[in-house]
Each structure stands twice: as C-alpha cells, then as structure tokens.
Amino acid sequence: MRADDINDIIRATNLYARGLDLGDPEEAASAFTADAVWDATAVGLERYEGHAAILAFFVADAAAVERGAHILSNHLIDFDDDDHAHGTNYVYAECEMRNGGAIKAIALNRDSYERGADGWKISARVISPMLTPQMDAFEV
C-alpha cells in the first residue's frame, strides 16, 4: 500500500534529522543505504559516498555541534517502481557549534529512495540552498 511506503520513507528522513539533532550519528546514518550519496556541496559542505563515509561525517558533526534542530516538511514522493522512489522535502536547520559559532540553513533535499530487506532508505540526498546559508562557523 503506497500510504505505508510514504510513511516509511518519511520515517527514514525523520530518523536522519533526529539522529543529527540528538548527536546520534548511528541513527542518522541508519536512514541511508550502504552505497548512498550525501551531497551538500551547494551549501558549502562536502559530498560523501557510501555508508561508512556518511557515518564518519555524522560522527564529526556530532562532535562539532553543541545543539541543533532540523525541521523537515513539505515531503513530495513519487514512485519509480515498487522498490524505488524519488522526492523532495524542505529542511530548516539551525545549530549552535561547540566553537561558539552558529549556523542556519533553509534548503531543499532532493532524495532518491530504495526499499531493501530492512525497509525504505535514502539512497541519495542532494541538498540545495533555498536562501543563502550561514555556514561560516561549521568546522567539521
């Protein structure tokens, strides 16, 4: 049933955000497939390929962020077939950094999703700014 698939995909995106916000890189990375891509070059960060590289970035992020919040909304999901989908969602993120700085970004996540044995996961996330991001204090 597509409604269940949509809920499972949104749950994966929310696990990502909650993991980042609670400083739990394992939970954040659990939203991604083994061969996933996470690309935030458009907001001044890096591109990471593969679960291990994404997890390593989330570990470094957790060490650098004192407090943060990622608010996701406006999910639109289209299905390519029974096990593949793509979509978008908006993210509003603010973080207080351990170095005393703060960051703020309002962006569009362009995602691809895959269903595997352990459910729906993000196979690619490309983050594009909707407003000029304030990322000067981000040192990861």
Side-chain angles (χ1 to χ4, degrees):
M1 180 178 202
R2 286 286 187 233
D4 289 339
D5 292 335
I6 291 168
N7 285 332
D8 290 347
I9 290 169
I10 292 172
R11 178 174 170 68
T13 67
N14 289 336
L15 280 173
Y16 157 81
R18 184 175 73 182
L20 292 179
D21 295 342
L22 297 181
D24 185 344
E26 292 283 343
E27 181 176 77
S30 75
F32 293 86
T33 62
D35 60 348
V37 171
W38 186 90
D39 184 348
T41 54
V43 295
L45 301 179
E46 301 291 326
R47 174 187 167 97
Y48 299 94
E49 295 184 30
H51 191 269
I54 293 168
L55 175 59
F57 171 69
F58 292 165
V59 167
D61 179 73
V65 174
E66 180 70 30
R67 288 187 262 316
H70 291 72
I71 301 168
L72 301 172
S73 68
N74 300 21
H75 286 83
L76 293 175
I77 300 165
D78 294 304
F79 291 86
D80 304 317
D81 58 40
D82 287 345
D83 297 322
H84 298 88
H86 63 277
T88 58
N89 56 79
Y90 296 130
V91 57
Y92 179 90
E94 283 199 48
C95 297
E96 296 173 357
M97 306 304 289
R98 293 189 198 280
N99 66 11
I103 64 168
K104 181 165 84 172
I106 300 171
L108 178 68
N109 292 326
R110 294 181 191 275
D111 292 342
S112 296
Y113 312 103
E114 289 181 16
R115 182 194 346 236
D118 50 354
W120 284 98
K121 295 194 179 253
I122 303 165
S123 58
R125 168 158 285 175
V126 178
I127 304 168
S128 302
M130 297 186 74
L131 299 174
T132 303
Q134 299 167 12
M135 303 293 287
D136 295 337
F138 196 81
E139 297 173 359
V140 174

